[in-house]
Amino acid sequence: MDPNVLHNISYGVYIVSSNKGNYLNGQIVNTVFQITNDPVTIAISVNKGNLTHEYIEASSRFSISVLEQDTPLSFIGKFGFRSGRKEDKFKDTKFKLLDSGCPVVLDHSTCYIEAKVINKMDCLTHTLFLGELVSSQVLKTGKPMTYSYYHEVKRGTTPSTAPTFIKEETPGKTVGAMQKYRCVVCNYIYDPAIGDPDGGIQPGTAFEQIPDNWVCPVCGADKSQFVKEGESCNETV
Protein backbone atom coordinates (compact mmCIF):
# COMPACT_ATOMS: atom_id res chain seq x y z
CA MET A 1 0.00 0.00 0.00
CA ASP A 2 1.32 3.42 -0.98
CA PRO A 3 0.15 6.10 1.53
CA ASN A 4 1.32 8.86 -0.80
CA VAL A 5 -1.77 8.30 -2.95
CA LEU A 6 -3.62 10.25 -0.25
CA HIS A 7 -1.84 13.42 -1.39
CA ASN A 8 -4.17 13.44 -4.39
CA ILE A 9 -7.09 14.42 -2.14
CA SER A 10 -7.57 18.21 -2.04
CA TYR A 11 -7.42 20.24 1.18
CA GLY A 12 -7.12 23.84 2.31
CA VAL A 13 -5.33 25.68 5.11
CA TYR A 14 -7.52 27.12 7.86
CA ILE A 15 -7.39 28.29 11.46
CA VAL A 16 -10.06 26.73 13.65
CA SER A 17 -10.59 28.64 16.90
CA SER A 18 -12.72 28.16 19.98
CA ASN A 19 -12.99 29.21 23.61
CA LYS A 20 -13.45 27.80 27.09
CA GLY A 21 -14.92 30.68 29.04
CA ASN A 22 -12.45 33.55 28.62
CA TYR A 23 -9.66 31.27 27.45
CA LEU A 24 -8.99 31.27 23.70
CA ASN A 25 -7.13 28.95 21.39
CA GLY A 26 -6.78 28.18 17.71
CA GLN A 27 -4.95 25.75 15.45
CA ILE A 28 -4.22 25.04 11.82
CA VAL A 29 -6.46 22.43 10.19
CA ASN A 30 -6.68 21.20 6.61
CA THR A 31 -9.86 19.12 6.85
CA VAL A 32 -12.89 21.42 6.51
CA PHE A 33 -15.83 20.70 4.24
CA GLN A 34 -19.47 21.64 3.73
CA ILE A 35 -21.99 18.85 4.32
CA THR A 36 -25.41 20.41 3.57
CA ASN A 37 -26.79 23.72 2.29
CA ASP A 38 -30.19 23.99 4.02
CA PRO A 39 -29.30 24.44 6.77
CA VAL A 40 -25.63 25.06 6.03
CA THR A 41 -23.53 22.58 7.98
CA ILE A 42 -19.74 22.38 8.13
CA ALA A 43 -17.55 19.50 9.35
CA ILE A 44 -14.03 19.73 10.76
CA SER A 45 -11.56 17.10 11.98
CA VAL A 46 -9.61 17.90 15.17
CA ASN A 47 -7.11 15.76 17.05
CA LYS A 48 -8.39 14.73 20.50
CA GLY A 49 -5.11 15.67 22.15
CA ASN A 50 -5.21 19.29 20.98
CA LEU A 51 -6.29 22.12 23.28
CA THR A 52 -8.69 23.42 20.61
CA HIS A 53 -10.53 20.10 20.79
CA GLU A 54 -11.04 20.60 24.53
CA TYR A 55 -12.36 24.13 23.96
CA ILE A 56 -14.80 23.04 21.23
CA GLU A 57 -16.11 20.34 23.55
CA ALA A 58 -16.59 22.96 26.28
CA SER A 59 -18.25 25.73 24.24
CA SER A 60 -19.88 23.77 21.39
CA ARG A 61 -18.67 26.55 19.08
CA PHE A 62 -15.90 26.90 16.57
CA SER A 63 -14.81 29.42 13.97
CA ILE A 64 -12.96 28.82 10.72
CA SER A 65 -10.64 31.48 9.28
CA VAL A 66 -9.77 30.84 5.62
CA LEU A 67 -6.11 31.77 5.11
CA GLU A 68 -4.96 33.66 2.02
CA GLN A 69 -2.36 32.23 -0.32
CA ASP A 70 0.47 34.56 0.72
CA THR A 71 0.17 33.85 4.46
CA PRO A 72 3.73 33.69 5.89
CA LEU A 73 5.03 30.30 7.01
CA SER A 74 5.86 31.80 10.41
CA PHE A 75 2.19 32.66 10.97
CA ILE A 76 1.07 29.17 9.98
CA GLY A 77 3.76 27.73 12.24
CA LYS A 78 2.49 29.80 15.19
CA PHE A 79 -0.93 28.16 15.00
CA GLY A 80 0.21 24.80 13.60
CA PHE A 81 3.34 23.81 15.51
CA ARG A 82 3.02 25.55 18.87
CA SER A 83 0.83 24.57 21.80
CA GLY A 84 -1.76 26.87 23.36
CA ARG A 85 -0.87 25.20 26.67
CA LYS A 86 2.55 26.87 26.53
CA GLU A 87 1.83 30.22 24.90
CA ASP A 88 -0.99 32.59 23.99
CA LYS A 89 -1.35 32.21 20.23
CA PHE A 90 -3.61 35.25 20.09
CA LYS A 91 -0.92 37.55 21.46
CA ASP A 92 0.15 39.92 18.68
CA THR A 93 -2.56 38.41 16.46
CA LYS A 94 -5.43 40.48 15.10
CA PHE A 95 -8.73 38.85 16.06
CA LYS A 96 -12.23 39.61 17.27
CA LEU A 97 -14.62 37.96 19.68
CA LEU A 98 -18.03 37.03 18.35
CA ASP A 99 -21.19 37.40 20.45
CA SER A 100 -20.84 33.75 21.51
CA GLY A 101 -17.36 34.40 22.92
CA CYS A 102 -15.74 32.40 20.14
CA PRO A 103 -12.65 34.13 18.66
CA VAL A 104 -11.99 34.68 14.97
CA VAL A 105 -8.49 35.19 13.56
CA LEU A 106 -8.45 38.16 11.17
CA ASP A 107 -4.77 38.28 10.18
CA HIS A 108 -4.20 36.83 6.69
CA SER A 109 -7.85 35.68 6.51
CA THR A 110 -10.05 36.14 3.47
CA CYS A 111 -13.24 35.29 5.38
CA TYR A 112 -14.53 33.48 8.43
CA ILE A 113 -17.30 31.10 9.44
CA GLU A 114 -18.77 30.47 12.88
CA ALA A 115 -20.62 27.26 13.62
CA LYS A 116 -22.51 25.72 16.52
CA VAL A 117 -21.78 22.04 17.13
CA ILE A 118 -24.87 19.94 16.46
CA ASN A 119 -23.25 16.51 16.27
CA LYS A 120 -19.90 14.76 16.44
CA MET A 121 -18.34 11.43 15.51
CA ASP A 122 -15.54 9.58 17.28
CA CYS A 123 -12.83 8.90 14.67
CA LEU A 124 -10.24 7.18 16.87
CA THR A 125 -7.44 9.78 17.16
CA HIS A 126 -9.71 12.60 15.97
CA THR A 127 -13.24 13.89 16.42
CA LEU A 128 -15.33 14.94 13.45
CA PHE A 129 -17.37 17.93 14.61
CA LEU A 130 -20.49 18.83 12.63
CA GLY A 131 -21.53 22.45 13.04
CA GLU A 132 -24.45 24.53 11.81
CA LEU A 133 -23.49 27.91 10.33
CA VAL A 134 -24.50 30.78 12.62
CA SER A 135 -22.44 33.67 11.22
CA SER A 136 -19.94 34.45 8.45
CA GLN A 137 -18.21 37.38 6.80
CA VAL A 138 -15.99 38.10 3.81
CA LEU A 139 -12.98 40.11 5.05
CA LYS A 140 -11.05 40.73 1.84
CA THR A 141 -10.72 39.67 -1.75
CA GLY A 142 -8.00 37.10 -2.12
CA LYS A 143 -7.04 33.61 -3.20
CA PRO A 144 -7.39 30.99 -0.46
CA MET A 145 -4.34 28.84 0.21
CA THR A 146 -4.62 25.21 -0.78
CA TYR A 147 -2.75 22.49 1.07
CA SER A 148 -0.97 21.65 -2.17
CA TYR A 149 0.29 25.26 -2.46
CA TYR A 150 1.36 25.19 1.19
CA HIS A 151 3.49 22.10 0.57
CA GLU A 152 4.79 22.66 -2.95
CA VAL A 153 5.29 26.43 -3.05
CA LYS A 154 5.56 27.52 0.59
CA ARG A 155 7.41 24.26 1.43
CA GLY A 156 5.38 23.82 4.59
CA THR A 157 5.20 20.59 6.59
CA THR A 158 2.48 18.56 8.27
CA PRO A 159 2.09 18.36 12.09
CA SER A 160 2.06 14.81 13.46
CA THR A 161 -1.40 15.45 14.95
CA ALA A 162 -2.94 16.33 11.56
CA PRO A 163 -5.35 13.80 10.03
CA THR A 164 -3.26 13.80 6.82
CA PHE A 165 0.10 13.15 8.50
CA ILE A 166 1.86 10.17 6.89
CA LYS A 167 4.26 8.43 9.26
CA GLU A 168 5.98 6.49 6.47
CA GLU A 169 6.83 9.64 4.57
CA THR A 170 10.52 10.43 5.09
CA PRO A 171 12.88 12.81 3.33
CA GLY A 172 15.51 11.26 1.10
CA LYS A 173 19.18 11.96 0.63
CA THR A 174 20.18 15.25 -0.93
CA VAL A 175 21.38 15.04 -4.52
CA GLY A 176 23.22 18.10 -5.79
CA ALA A 177 25.98 20.54 -4.98
CA MET A 178 24.51 22.17 -1.88
CA GLN A 179 23.48 20.22 1.21
CA LYS A 180 19.87 20.54 2.41
CA TYR A 181 19.04 20.51 6.12
CA ARG A 182 15.92 19.24 7.88
CA CYS A 183 14.29 20.59 11.05
CA VAL A 184 13.86 17.68 13.49
CA VAL A 185 10.89 19.41 15.13
CA CYS A 186 8.61 19.95 12.13
CA ASN A 187 10.51 18.37 9.17
CA TYR A 188 10.86 21.68 7.31
CA ILE A 189 13.62 21.38 4.69
CA TYR A 190 16.06 24.26 4.27
CA ASP A 191 17.08 24.26 0.61
CA PRO A 192 20.08 26.55 -0.08
CA ALA A 193 18.96 26.96 -3.68
CA ILE A 194 15.75 28.61 -2.44
CA GLY A 195 16.92 30.13 0.84
CA ASP A 196 14.37 31.73 3.14
CA PRO A 197 13.39 35.05 1.52
CA ASP A 198 10.75 35.78 4.19
CA GLY A 199 13.49 35.41 6.81
CA GLY A 200 16.02 37.53 4.93
CA ILE A 201 18.06 34.56 3.63
CA GLN A 202 18.77 34.92 -0.07
CA PRO A 203 18.80 31.98 -2.53
CA GLY A 204 22.24 30.39 -2.79
CA THR A 205 23.02 30.75 0.92
CA ALA A 206 24.56 27.60 2.42
CA PHE A 207 23.13 26.47 5.75
CA GLU A 208 26.50 27.10 7.44
CA GLN A 209 26.36 30.74 6.31
CA ILE A 210 22.97 31.47 7.88
CA PRO A 211 23.23 33.73 10.96
CA ASP A 212 23.13 31.85 14.27
CA ASN A 213 19.97 33.73 15.34
CA TRP A 214 18.00 32.42 12.35
CA VAL A 215 15.10 30.11 13.26
CA CYS A 216 12.95 27.63 11.38
CA PRO A 217 10.31 29.64 9.48
CA VAL A 218 7.65 27.06 10.31
CA CYS A 219 8.08 26.14 13.98
CA GLY A 220 10.68 28.59 15.32
CA ALA A 221 13.31 25.98 16.18
CA ASP A 222 16.91 27.25 16.20
CA LYS A 223 19.74 26.04 13.97
CA SER A 224 20.83 23.38 16.46
CA GLN A 225 17.57 21.55 15.74
CA PHE A 226 18.53 20.94 12.09
CA VAL A 227 20.28 17.88 10.66
CA LYS A 228 21.59 17.09 7.21
CA GLU A 229 18.76 15.74 5.08
CA GLY A 230 18.83 11.96 5.25
CA GLU A 231 20.50 11.80 8.67
CA SER A 232 18.84 10.68 11.91
CA CYS A 233 17.53 13.12 14.52
CA ASN A 234 20.46 12.65 16.92
CA GLU A 235 22.96 13.88 14.36
CA THR A 236 22.73 17.60 15.05
CA VAL A 237 24.71 20.37 13.38
Side-chain angles (χ1 to χ4, degrees):
M1 181 176 68
D2 182 2
N4 290 296
V5 72
L6 299 172
H7 289 315
N8 291 281
I9 301 174
S10 297
Y11 300 92
V13 182
Y14 316 93
I15 294 179
V16 165
S17 304
S18 190
N19 67 296
K20 185 176 183 180
N22 294 325
Y23 293 99
L24 313 176
N25 199 58
Q27 66 169 76
I28 294 291
V29 304
N30 60 14
T31 308
V32 172
F33 47 98
Q34 183 177 346
I35 302 299
T36 62
N37 67 353
D38 188 17
V40 176
T41 56
I42 304 290
I44 61 172
S45 177
V46 182
N47 189 284
K48 292 179 181 178
N50 291 355
L51 187 62
T52 305
H53 184 284
E54 177 184 327
Y55 285 13
I56 295 174
E57 290 271 31
S59 67
S60 294
R61 295 272 181 159
F62 62 84
S63 70
I64 303 166
S65 297
V66 180
L67 295 183
E68 59 188 349
Q69 187 167 271
D70 61 355
T71 302
L73 269 182
S74 58
F75 186 79
I76 296 174
K78 178 180 183 179
F79 282 88
F81 288 90
R82 301 180 189 178
S83 172
R85 294 184 175 90
K86 297 181 179 179
E87 66 178 88
D88 180 4
K89 297 183 184 181
F90 285 85
K91 182 180 180 181
D92 300 323
T93 299
K94 186 178 180 181
F95 71 98
K96 73 174 182 178
L97 289 179
L98 303 176
D99 292 342
S100 63
C102 185
V104 171
V105 172
L106 302 178
D107 282 337
H108 307 293
S109 300
T110 62
C111 60
Y112 73 79
I113 295 167
E114 180 194 15
K116 179 180 180 180
V117 177
I118 58 175
N119 210 336
K120 62 182 180 179
M121 177 184 292
D122 188 326
C123 299
L124 302 179
T125 58
H126 290 65
T127 296
L128 189 70
F129 290 104
L130 178 65
E132 182 176 347
L133 180 71
V134 293
S135 67
S136 61
Q137 182 179 349
V138 174
L139 300 171
K140 66 171 73 170
T141 300
K143 191 170 184 179
M145 183 183 293
T146 65
Y147 210 48
S148 175
Y149 186 90
Y150 167 68
H151 277 290
E152 296 173 10
V153 179
K154 302 291 285 187
R155 297 180 296 119
T157 57
T158 304
S160 60
T161 57
T164 55
F165 177 75
I166 299 177
K167 186 181 298 184
E168 294 85 351
E169 192 177 49
T170 56
K173 296 281 186 179
T174 296
V175 178
M178 301 186 78
Q179 175 69 53
K180 298 178 183 179
Y181 281 77
R182 175 175 57 87
C183 175
V184 301
V185 178
C186 71
N187 282 327
Y188 167 81
I189 301 296
Y190 175 77
D191 184 347
I194 299 174
D196 175 23
D198 289 344
I201 308 301
Q202 297 302 311
T205 304
F207 186 81
E208 293 80 6
Q209 297 175 330
I210 299 175
D212 290 338
N213 62 353
W214 178 83
V215 297
C216 175
V218 176
C219 70
D222 60 37
K223 285 184 66 178
S224 68
Q225 296 299 303
F226 278 74
V227 298
K228 291 180 179 179
E229 186 179 6
E231 292 185 352
S232 59
C233 294
N234 60 358
E235 294 174 290
T236 56
V237 294

